[in-house]
Amino acid sequence: MGDVRDQGHFELGAPAIVCRWRLSDGGLPLENRHLRALSRRMVCGRAVSTQLVAWAKQHIEWTLRDGSALNPNGVLMIVVDERGQAAMTVGPYEPIGSPSAAALARRALASSREASETGVAPETLWVARGDTLVCGMGVAEDASGAVTLVCDLANTVGITVIREDGVARRLLGGTLDYDEAFLVSDEHGVVCAADAAGPRGARLAEGYERLLAAQKKKR
């Protein structure tokens, strides 16, 4: 995979992977989940090295200590170039706002195109259909850190989760049957569609927010 180095000591090449992970009070609540997902990503057809994952784990603490003072509830960003060189930094968080289901579907489609190269989609579209949640991923795809969290939250409250490929595409095409729609994002958590909100998505969004609040209590 090449070298992993501190930001500022070298010049990154063309980005191959860009991870954006939400912070809470200067901490990274989903750290272990994000690192597991990072280990499943690909750069130019090769798996991310264990060296890079170890570097990321080591540098998260250092980066947050030095960089999160201005943006304690911001975003930790990791960029990996085509040679496997990596840099890490912290920046401000900008919420999505009140997007439509179609807008969230377009984000998920862009993310799925990213996943075709890197192996993991940082954002996925989910829908509620009756008593079941449908995650817009193929059954063999590797999940992002946020997806594994939402699956666990759903399991905790007894909501069945299944996977289906093409959810975002079918929603945009008007051929998808659904009651609610929401985005699951490493950066934004659970974002319910303004025009297709409902109790299941809201419950998961509340669970995600409780996780952020629990991080603040730890610090």
Side-chain angles (χ1 to χ4, degrees):
M1 275 292 305
D3 297 328
V4 287
R5 311 179 189 179
D6 293 326
Q7 184 189 31
H9 294 179
F10 72 107
E11 185 174 337
L12 276 178
I17 296 175
V18 179
C19 297
R20 297 178 63 85
W21 299 338
R22 180 75 178 276
L23 303 179
S24 179
D25 198 32
L28 186 61
L30 274 65
E31 178 177 343
N32 290 333
R33 294 176 186 270
H34 288 322
L35 289 172
R36 283 195 296 270
L38 178 62
S39 72
R40 295 181 174 91
R41 282 179 162 87
M42 307 285 289
V43 176
C44 298
R46 292 180 295 169
V48 164
S49 68
T50 55
Q51 178 194 12
L52 190 147
V53 176
W55 171 89
K57 183 175 179 63
Q58 181 183 53
H59 280 68
I60 284 171
E61 181 178 353
W62 297 348
T63 301
L64 293 183
R65 183 180 63 235
D66 297 336
S68 67
L70 293 178
N71 297 287
N73 299 303
V75 176
L76 178 74
M77 185 167 71
I78 298 176
V79 180
V80 184
D81 72 10
E82 295 174 335
R83 294 172 293 172
Q85 297 182 130
M88 184 182 295
T89 189
V90 173
Y93 171 69
E94 297 182 6
I96 295 176
S98 299
S100 65
L104 295 180
R106 286 191 289 271
R107 291 183 69 104
L109 274 180
S111 188
S112 68
R113 288 192 287 270
E114 177 181 336
S116 68
E117 298 180 359
T118 68
V120 177
E123 297 187 331
T124 57
L125 186 70
W126 291 49
V127 298
R129 186 184 297 146
D131 293 329
T132 301
L133 290 177
V134 181
C135 172
M137 293 175 54
V139 294
E141 292 182 50
D142 286 316
S144 68
V147 164
T148 65
L149 172 68
V150 172
C151 286
D152 286 347
L153 290 174
N155 182 64
T156 298
V157 297
I159 303 176
T160 300
V161 176
I162 64 173
R163 291 190 183 191
E164 285 185 10
D165 200 7
V167 167
R169 174 177 46 79
R170 285 186 284 132
L171 186 148
L172 290 171
T175 61
L176 183 70
D177 177 30
Y178 65 98
D179 303 314
E180 305 175 31
F182 56 91
L183 190 75
V184 173
S185 166
D186 281 345
E187 180 177 3
H188 301 285
V190 179
V191 182
C192 297
D195 55 353
R200 289 171 179 78
R203 192 170 186 181
L204 294 172
E206 290 169 2
Y208 177 81
E209 291 300 325
R210 283 196 299 270
L211 179 69
L212 298 186
Q215 174 70 34
K216 294 180 180 180
K217 291 180 181 179
K218 291 179 182 178
R219 301 178 71 83

